[in-house]
Amino acid sequence: MVLMLTILGQIVDINTFAVESKTREILFENFKSTVEETPSGDFKTTLSGSGAVTEHVMLFGNVFILDGITVLEKEVFRGNKGVYSVSLPETLKSIGEKCFCTCRDIQEIAIPSSVTSIGKNPFYDCQRLKKIVNNSKVSVDAPKFEDYRRGYDYYVDGKPATKVAPGKTMIGKPHKYKLNLKLNGGKIVGKKMKTYDIVKNTILPRAKKKGYDFVGWTDENDSANGISKLWRADLIVGGKQTRYAQFCKVKMTGKKKSIQIKVTNSHFPYLCVYYSTKKDRSDEKMVKVVNDASEKLHYYREGSYKAVKIKGKRKYYEKDRKKTYISMTLPIFKSKTKYYIRLKSIIPYGEEMEKEYGYSDFFGRRTVRVK
């Protein structure tokens, strides 16, 4: 059961989603927006009612506009991210100027035969809109962008086009931008990349350098806190991009009930040390090493907020940051035991978030025997 408060144009389900139905509604003068969470965890939005949609509406997931809606006025769906598809009704007569502008995740749309009027640039800055099927009686503008935000170049019948005539289909091909990978003395592993597109966040190739561990890429050549994708988050823009390969020197030595770790070219806010006694890492644990304001090193066990002081130091070189290092002795290991160690340059955010945002991969993989 959904608890609702009927206020015109306001969210009716105050608690966002009811526990049982996972549904919320927004009531407008002549139509209603219903947002549902599907069993798979996705969302869908349904617009039902009659006449014109004249107010801005928030959309989520896959969108279904039902029969009875006749007009979508100017910019009513502006800026709705996370909308992947839109189904338009056969009762629709008119689509306003920039109706779907900056709905950057829509991938394809079909305009019904009932539409007789379409305003300018209804899909302005829809970066990922790959396909427009125009069944209407009027032409529709192809998506337009600022140059640095172009996702696709558009074609009708295999020829470049800026409009889709009635009865035609427009297909987009990803627009290519230049990518310059600076290797800092290393080499690319696998296929070299010279271009990229912004339809999706580009996974950058790995690199290697003799005597060093590859950490990732940076947009400025002054830090080894590298990332694995072109953009750390999904705020993607185009234009020529340069990325720099970052490498560390890693040394590990087994001591009495401890391991000595030294990482050179280390600018990490956190250095996460993962350790396991099994090759398959099935018993792997982790500690986070931090450098506090007093320049003392501490570690935190995974799942704990208790800081433990350890021996070591971090030396920072302003003029040559690649000399910067962190050196420490971790007294957390059992004697006469072999450990499989690997490092990570940033605090863990969870597998899904790290995959999406492109945080740096593991490095410093070593097998160390404790005395």
Side-chain angles (χ1 to χ4, degrees), residues 1 3 11 41 46 82-83 118 163 166 173 222 280 330 339 345 367:
M1 179 176 128
L3 298 175
I11 296 176
T46 303
V83 175
I118 301 177
K163 289 182 178 292
K173 295 182 180 179
D222 63 354
D280 64 2
L330 277 175
Y339 285 92
S345 68
T367 302

Side-chain angles (χ1 to χ4, degrees), residues 254-320:
K255 302 287 185 179
K256 186 177 181 180
K257 294 185 178 181
S258 64
I259 293 178
Q260 172 74 29
I261 300 175
K262 183 177 182 179
V263 182
T264 305
N265 192 19
S266 170
H267 306 272
F268 314 131
Y270 301 90
L271 182 63
C272 298
V273 181
Y274 292 77
Y275 57 98
S276 175
T277 61
K278 298 181 180 180
K279 198 170 184 179
D280 64 2
R281 302 187 182 278
S282 57
D283 64 344
E284 188 171 69
K285 298 178 182 178
M286 182 269 289
V287 297
K288 295 177 290 187
V289 178
V290 300
N291 185 53
D292 67 15
S294 64
E295 298 299 321
K296 303 296 183 181
L297 291 181
H298 296 79
Y299 75 81
Y300 296 79
R301 291 186 184 274
E302 188 172 19
S304 171
Y305 293 99
K306 183 179 179 181
V308 180
K309 185 178 177 180
I310 57 175
K311 292 181 179 180
K313 64 179 179 179
R314 181 177 182 269
K315 180 70 174 179
Y316 183 76
Y317 292 88
E318 177 66 38
K319 292 184 179 180
D320 187 357

Side-chain angles (χ1 to χ4, degrees), residues 94-238:
S94 176
I95 298 174
E97 180 181 350
K98 292 187 176 180
C99 179
F100 296 93
C101 71
T102 63
C103 293
R104 292 172 181 159
D105 295 312
I106 295 178
Q107 298 173 17
E108 62 179 78
I109 194 166
I111 300 173
S113 58
S114 57
V115 172
T116 57
S117 172
I118 301 177
K120 292 182 179 180
N121 301 319
F123 306 113
Y124 183 83
D125 202 23
C126 292
Q127 287 178 302
R128 294 179 175 85
L129 183 53
K130 183 179 180 179
K131 183 177 181 180
I132 301 173
V133 179
N134 186 11
N135 297 316
S136 79
K137 299 174 176 60
V138 291
S139 294
V140 57
D141 291 331
K144 292 186 178 180
F145 315 89
E146 301 292 337
D147 288 341
Y148 63 92
R149 295 204 67 91
R150 175 172 291 278
Y152 288 98
D153 297 316
Y154 292 98
Y155 298 83
V156 174
D157 295 334
K159 298 179 180 179
T162 59
K163 289 182 178 292
V164 196
K168 294 291 185 178
T169 297
M170 175 172 278
I171 300 294
K173 295 182 180 179
H175 182 76
K176 297 298 182 182
Y177 294 97
K178 289 184 179 181
L179 175 62
N180 186 18
L181 297 180
K182 299 287 189 179
L183 292 171
N184 280 327
K187 295 181 179 179
I188 292 291
V189 177
K191 188 178 180 181
K192 293 183 178 179
M193 296 178 62
K194 294 184 178 180
T195 62
Y196 76 96
D197 63 68
I198 62 174
V199 175
K200 59 182 179 180
N201 200 345
T202 301
I203 299 174
L204 298 171
R206 294 189 62 80
K208 63 181 180 179
K209 184 178 180 180
K210 188 175 181 179
Y212 292 82
D213 283 79
F214 175 66
V215 179
W217 301 87
T218 54
D219 54 3
E220 295 182 4
N221 194 25
D222 63 354
S223 172
N225 185 14
I227 59 176
S228 58
K229 290 187 177 182
L230 189 62
W231 308 102
R232 188 180 290 282
D234 200 28
L235 301 174
I236 303 171
V237 296

